[in-house]
Amino acid sequence: MNTYSLIKPELLMLTKEQMFSLMPYFYMFVGALFTIILSVNKKLSPKWTVFLVSLATCLVGISTSVARLKIDTLTLFNGMMISDTYSHLFNIIFIVSAGLTILSSFRYLDKEGLQHPEYNVLILLAALGMMLMTSSMDLIVLFISLEIMSLSVYVLVGFRRADRRSNEAAMKYFILGSAASAVLLYGTALLYGATGKTQIHDIYTFIQTHPQSMSPVFVLGAWLVILGFLFKVASVPFHMWMPDVYEGAPAPITGFMTTGLKAAAFAAFLRVFVSLGYGSVLSETIQTHLHHILWVCAVLTMVVGNVVALTQTNLKRMLAYSSIAHTGYLLIGLLAGPKSDQGYSPMIVYLVSYAVMNLGAFGVLTLISTRDDGGLNLNDVSGLSRRHPWLAFSMAVFLFSMAGVPPTAGFLAKYLLFYSAVQANELPIVIIGVLCSAVSVYYYLRVLVYMYMKEPQGSPMKSGFSVWPSFVVAAMVFLTLQIGLIPGGILTVARKAMAAL
Amino acid sequence: MDISPIAFYIFSVMAIAFSALVVLKKNPVASAFSLVMVFFCFAGIYALLDAHLVAALQILVYAGAITVLFIFVIMLLNADVPSFDIGRSHILVKILAGVAAVAVLAAFVWAFKNSAQIQPTGTFSAEKIQTLGGNTRVLSTLLFSEYILPFELTSVLLLAGIVGAVAIAKRKPSQQ
């Protein structure tokens, strides 16, 4: 009677290679579980054990991902997940940013009276969600992992419950983010309705073999998916949530969001785009259509982000608008990718350098923030060079890097990105981009002016700096300069990751 | 497979009407009960499509468990009092929002009207599922073989949700 066997045994088996490729995800999950168990242990003080265990988890996760970096592409779970250089490179970015966030939060949580183990658990789970997002090849898995990430971050944003701004930020982010997720999900449903598939490769082959399947429903679904992604990367018509959320969230979490969340959204966006044939097989009309959408978004994002950042006196808000502006530059990379020799590798380099400098900058902000860190404004850093010369120097390095001044990572990344756009014959947008980054120098340098040329205000900080955040900041200064001066390693990895895509 | 158009229209019109009530009712408990009705109408449509398991789950999980949770929350929060000003938006904003909503609706209607050229067929049909032992069996086998990854990830998602709920609800703001 059973002519069609339901259980395909080959789907239930994992080869040894596939097992190893799953290890980073597995360790992150086990680490999160272990952290939960330890946090209810009455005998040991949860504060230190949770801190150490989550750090150890990150270290193990990083080392397993590094070990998988050079392995050939493997598909897992019937093609729902993929393990290649691209996904493992991004895994490393996510786990590093999670680990550094945990490191730099340790003293901050003490200071704010927020030392709760859930904080670390949620960071680990968010990182797991990001990792799964970049390695998913199935729209269902993509959506679920996106939700794992978003749900954890919603809570982390509202972690300072006594603070009104933090609550407001969490609420806004939750409502807008859920709406965007719903849009993305509806788009996914329409894509499924139009093609009958949820796996990205199947959809790709389906639209290859059935050209007439590019029906209005398919286009509508694709549009909604693109809108959902543009919300997550905070491109301009959908950027309203970002400044409030960045301002209200605890400083280390803002750093985590600028690096992890943004990289995850972009990585998944790029993966879906490229796997669906963007830049290669899609018909000419669709290609130009997508090109126009991205072009308009990129220009608006750069202009609005940079211009509004000029008027901000609150440092976190300023960095939020600058983060919007950087989204615009990254969209240029997405535009130029198909037509330049370097493909999308400038985008990867940009995401890595952006992550490095932002983790550093928010590390500095975490160090100097006082109890009510939402109000970190320019006056709080004035005269910083007299009180803490090294801290001011690190901040200066990060700001120069964000502005794109050599010899920092930011310069190299921007140079590669604009160069690839020039190769792709996108001169107008390059000119707009360069002008915008010229504008951005003003607000980055204004912070420097406050730090180096103004008298210190208010009473100096009483407590000294703790070791961990200072270590994070120092490491990030080193990396910023190292990527800027000796970019060989990162370029090779980025090219290899793109080749795998 | 044919679905009876009369039943379909009855369920759809009711679903739309009750959805409108969910939004329009001022009393949150009335909204919650309208939502129950919406879920029942959905269940009816699923049953028409021969998806009896989904219909049953829709009633058990959504109309049962989730709505009870809603009503508990409404009772605990005493949500009769609006917590912020609503309905004070500018008339221009209202008009624009209305126009945008109608435009989106028109776009969807147009898209659905014009995309009937190709109807992808999946692996399963209603008859095939019958021979394989029914919806429940097929669904559960698939969940534990082909769709094991999303299935397990959903539990990770729930774990994240639980930890988040604990993190938010555990401590009182004054204790900090």
Side-chain angles (χ1 to χ4, degrees):
Chain A
M1 174 176 109
N2 280 8
T3 47
Y4 177 82
S5 162
L6 271 178
I7 295 189
K8 302 177 195 147
E10 73 273 11
L11 296 185
L12 296 175
M13 306 287 277
L14 284 173
T15 62
K16 207 170 163 194
E17 279 294 293
Q18 288 175 320
M19 235 14 222
F20 280 132
S21 302
L22 279 177
M23 280 300 128
Y25 312 91
F26 182 72
Y27 284 131
M28 288 303 275
F29 182 60
V30 170
L33 288 185
F34 205 50
T35 316
I36 296 176
I37 294 169
L38 279 178
S39 59
V40 292
N41 188 328
K42 291 234 169 67
K43 284 188 197 126
L44 299 163
S45 123
K47 181 176 142 185
W48 277 98
T49 44
V50 163
F51 175 66
L52 291 176
V53 166
S54 30
L55 272 187
T57 309
C58 291
L59 282 181
V60 176
I62 293 168
S63 51
T64 39
S65 278
V66 169
R68 306 304 297 171
L69 208 52
K70 299 227 162 89
I71 306 294
D72 292 336
T73 304
L74 269 181
T75 55
L76 298 152
F77 297 110
N78 197 19
M80 284 193 178
M81 209 174 132
I82 191 163
S83 146
D84 53 12
T85 314
Y86 182 78
S87 55
H88 285 292
L89 174 68
F90 275 101
N91 284 351
I92 295 170
I93 300 179
F94 302 143
I95 308 176
V96 166
S97 90
L100 293 182
T101 309
I102 290 171
L103 264 182
S104 57
S105 312
F106 189 57
R107 270 297 286 277
Y108 175 87
L109 293 176
D110 270 348
K111 206 160 55 184
E112 297 265 330
L114 288 175
Q115 193 60 264
H116 298 289
E118 293 89 1
Y119 184 87
N120 291 359
V121 178
L122 286 171
I123 288 183
L124 291 180
L125 285 175
L128 178 69
M130 293 168 187
M131 290 158 66
L132 288 163
M133 217 169 128
T134 29
S135 25
S136 59
M137 283 302 274
D138 185 286
L139 293 172
I140 305 176
V141 179
L142 180 76
F143 179 74
I144 296 176
S145 33
L146 177 92
E147 283 300 286
I148 297 177
M149 172 187 89
S150 310
L151 214 66
S152 318
V153 176
Y154 297 146
V155 178
L156 286 172
V157 167
F159 214 77
R160 291 185 302 145
R161 274 197 59 208
D163 184 276
R164 212 176 54 83
R165 254 189 315 242
S166 184
N167 284 335
E168 184 192 331
M171 203 59 205
K172 270 186 186 161
Y173 188 34
F174 177 64
I175 292 175
L176 290 177
S178 317
S181 298
V183 168
L184 186 76
L185 187 63
Y186 195 44
T188 311
L190 289 181
L191 286 185
Y192 176 65
T195 60
K197 318 276 186 233
T198 58
Q199 286 193 17
I200 294 169
H201 271 313
D202 292 347
I203 295 178
Y204 173 77
T205 34
F206 190 84
I207 52 178
Q208 287 320 116
T209 47
H210 305 72
Q212 74 275 34
S213 69
M214 280 295 207
S215 56
V217 168
F218 184 88
V219 175
L220 205 60
W223 254 98
L224 293 181
V225 171
I226 292 176
L227 290 188
F229 274 124
L230 285 179
F231 176 90
K232 291 287 170 197
V233 299
S235 163
V236 148
F238 317 102
H239 68 290
M240 297 303 192
W241 55 277
M242 202 174 205
D244 290 336
V245 173
Y246 275 27
E247 190 189 350
I253 293 303
T254 315
F256 186 52
M257 287 177 72
T258 52
T259 56
L261 210 79
K262 193 179 210 97
F266 259 110
F269 195 9
L270 191 59
R271 163 89 81 192
V272 172
F273 245 57
V274 175
S275 312
L276 279 179
Y278 174 68
S280 52
V281 294
L282 288 183
S283 68
E284 196 63 31
T285 38
I286 294 174
Q287 206 80 264
T288 35
H289 188 61
L290 283 175
H291 181 265
H292 290 330
I293 299 172
L294 290 178
W295 201 90
V296 172
C297 279
V299 169
L300 278 178
T301 311
M302 287 187 298
V303 171
V304 171
N306 279 311
V307 170
V308 181
L310 288 178
T311 62
Q312 302 300 322
T313 50
N314 181 309
L315 279 180
K316 277 160 98 185
R317 274 188 100 80
M318 186 207 89
L319 284 175
Y321 280 107
S322 106
S323 160
I324 294 174
H326 285 281
T327 301
Y329 305 137
L330 282 160
L331 285 175
I332 297 183
L334 193 60
L335 257 177
K339 280 178 272 174
S340 79
D341 304 340
Q342 306 160 59
Y344 304 96
S345 62
M347 265 182 93
I348 298 184
V349 177
Y350 203 98
L351 280 171
V352 173
S353 349
Y354 183 70
V356 167
M357 56 208 184
N358 258 291
L359 277 174
F362 279 97
V364 174
L365 288 192
T366 312
L367 275 171
I368 59 176
S369 70
T370 44
R371 187 149 176 116
D372 179 24
D373 75 356
L376 263 182
N377 56 36
L378 283 172
N379 288 329
D380 293 331
V381 295
S382 71
L384 193 68
S385 65
R386 307 270 156 94
R387 281 181 190 158
H388 306 291
W390 284 108
L391 208 57
F393 168 75
S394 324
M395 194 64 182
V397 171
F398 300 135
L399 289 170
F400 274 128
S401 177
M402 285 186 207
V405 177
T408 52
F411 167 73
L412 170 91
K414 250 185 202 150
Y415 171 77
L416 286 176
L417 203 70
F418 288 149
Y419 181 62
S420 80
V422 169
Q423 274 187 329
N425 256 333
E426 298 280 357
L427 268 182
I429 205 168
V430 173
I431 293 170
I432 299 173
V434 172
L435 285 178
C436 282
S437 40
V439 169
S440 75
V441 174
Y442 170 75
Y443 57 83
Y444 291 128
L445 288 194
R446 191 172 53 178
V447 181
L448 279 185
V449 169
Y450 269 83
M451 286 195 307
Y452 279 91
M453 294 172 196
K454 299 242 171 168
E455 289 300 316
Q457 288 185 1
S459 54
M461 265 170 285
K462 286 166 210 110
S463 58
F465 293 146
S466 75
V467 184
W468 302 114
S470 321
F471 165 75
V472 171
V473 170
M476 291 301 114
V477 169
F478 174 75
L479 272 181
T480 310
L481 295 175
Q482 195 256 333
I483 296 179
L485 291 172
I486 322 163
I490 178 78
L491 287 181
T492 335
V493 178
R495 291 227 175 83
K496 198 162 161 17
M498 280 336 294
L501 193 60
Chain B
M1 180 188 59
D2 304 311
I3 59 175
S4 126
I6 300 170
F8 174 75
Y9 281 118
I10 291 174
F11 281 130
S12 339
V13 169
M14 272 170 62
I16 294 171
F18 280 111
S19 312
L21 281 185
V22 175
V23 188
L24 295 175
K25 278 279 177 192
K26 283 251 164 28
N27 182 354
V29 179
S31 284
F33 278 104
S34 311
L35 198 61
V36 177
M37 290 311 291
V38 176
F39 290 146
F40 270 109
C41 297
F42 282 173
I45 294 175
Y46 295 146
L48 285 179
L49 289 167
D50 267 359
H52 305 295
L53 178 69
V54 182
L57 288 179
Q58 172 83 14
I59 290 175
L60 283 179
V61 176
Y62 282 88
I66 290 184
T67 318
V68 169
L69 214 65
F70 272 162
I71 292 176
F72 261 124
V73 171
I74 290 169
M75 273 164 39
L76 286 177
L77 292 181
N78 195 12
D80 285 337
V81 195
S83 50
F84 47 88
D85 283 343
I86 38 171
R88 297 252 175 105
S89 50
H90 198 267
I91 183 79
L92 206 65
V93 178
K94 282 184 185 167
I95 293 173
L96 277 178
V99 170
V102 173
V104 170
L105 185 68
F108 274 93
V109 170
W110 179 81
F112 287 127
K113 276 266 179 209
N114 286 291
S115 326
Q117 310 101 320
I118 178 152
Q119 286 178 334
T121 46
T123 333
F124 295 103
S125 62
E127 296 75 38
K128 192 162 181 184
I129 287 177
Q130 280 307 320
T131 52
L132 283 171
N135 269 316
T136 315
R137 165 170 282 181
V138 174
L139 192 83
S140 40
T141 343
L142 282 180
L143 269 189
F144 283 99
S145 61
E146 210 168 321
Y147 294 94
I148 184 86
L149 179 68
F151 181 70
E152 295 295 341
L153 285 184
T154 316
S155 40
V156 180
L157 176 62
L158 287 178
L159 179 73
I162 293 169
V163 175
V166 169
I168 290 181
K170 185 171 83 172
R171 55 218 147 86
K172 297 200 180 84
S174 56
Q175 281 177 346
Q176 291 192 359

